[in-house]
Amino acid sequence: MKEQNSEKGKSFYEKSSRYHRTKTLQENGTIKYSKKGGFKTREEADKSYDRCEKEFKNAYRAWQLSNQVNQDVSLKDYLIYWLEDVFSQRVESTTYMVMAYAVYDLILPCVEHDVKLKYLNGEYLDALLQNVAQISRSAGNKGREVLNLALKEAVTAGYIKRNPVAALSA
């Protein structure tokens, strides 16, 4: 039985199985496009597509950050990069899980206006941490701790000249 190929979506039907498009980041920053196939169902192909897209986005974000120090890196992108590619490499999984919760569930949802790292200041971070502190009593402290760790490393790596969290009152 031949499946219709007119449907719109993440995957397509070809040669008796489902396929999806893929993107692979090359070492020089170029993107190689191809397809991946052999899936029996649309759900299986779509799940593989989502996984491939996430891997590509993470690799591309890391490549951009590592090849463009002191460029226009946003706070959100830097925090994700720092957590996934820097911090996670040196801690146990339980510590990573706590920090991932702090970044993804406490800090990032409270970032109303994503600013570039180079424009971060105490006033912006105070407002951000006040929003985070509204989630729970300990959220503000955990948010401050995470931002301090991440921005210390941003200074070390050359993304910014000074850590603005250090100037905040406790």
Side-chain angles (χ1 to χ4, degrees):
M1 182 164 106
K2 190 169 183 171
E3 191 174 326
Q4 290 290 332
N5 198 16
S6 61
E7 63 216 21
K8 301 286 183 197
K10 299 174 185 177
S11 62
F12 57 94
Y13 192 76
E14 184 178 284
K15 297 180 185 176
S16 73
S17 69
R18 296 213 56 95
Y19 289 78
H20 66 78
R21 300 279 176 211
T22 63
K23 295 183 275 189
T24 306
L25 185 65
Q26 305 297 302
E27 287 184 12
N28 65 359
T30 60
I31 301 169
K32 179 181 176 185
Y33 295 89
S34 57
K35 65 183 178 180
K36 186 174 183 177
F39 303 102
K40 294 180 181 176
T41 65
R42 172 185 284 201
E43 292 76 23
E44 193 177 281
D46 288 354
K47 192 173 184 180
S48 174
Y49 174 84
D50 291 339
R51 188 175 53 255
C52 289
E53 274 297 297
K54 183 177 180 181
E55 289 171 5
F56 172 78
K57 286 178 183 177
N58 288 340
Y60 190 68
R61 183 183 310 111
W63 183 86
Q64 282 182 316
L65 289 170
S66 67
N67 287 288
Q68 296 180 6
V69 173
N70 289 329
Q71 296 292 317
D72 291 331
V73 178
S74 72
L75 175 61
K76 281 184 177 181
D77 282 343
Y78 178 76
L79 286 175
I80 293 167
Y81 165 74
W82 171 78
L83 177 69
E84 300 297 340
D85 297 323
V86 178
F87 186 76
S88 67
Q89 303 303 310
R90 64 173 190 245
V91 296
E92 296 293 328
S93 62
T94 52
T95 303
Y96 166 78
M97 288 172 32
V98 170
M99 292 305 240
Y101 173 77
V103 169
Y104 291 120
D105 295 325
L106 299 179
I107 297 171
L108 293 182
C110 291
V111 174
E112 295 176 352
H113 306 287
D114 195 13
V115 300
K116 306 293 183 195
L117 278 182
K118 64 185 177 182
Y119 297 128
L120 279 180
N121 60 36
E123 184 178 315
Y124 175 85
L125 292 173
D126 267 338
L128 173 60
L129 289 171
Q130 283 178 357
N131 288 339
V132 173
Q134 291 176 8
I135 296 169
S136 74
R137 278 196 256 175
S138 61
N141 289 334
K142 185 50 95 175
R144 179 185 165 87
E145 175 189 340
V146 170
L147 286 172
N148 191 42
L149 285 171
L151 295 177
K152 272 184 186 178
E153 292 201 37
V155 171
T156 302
Y159 291 100
I160 54 178
K161 294 182 193 269
R162 62 176 185 76
N163 180 357
V165 177
L168 298 177
S169 57

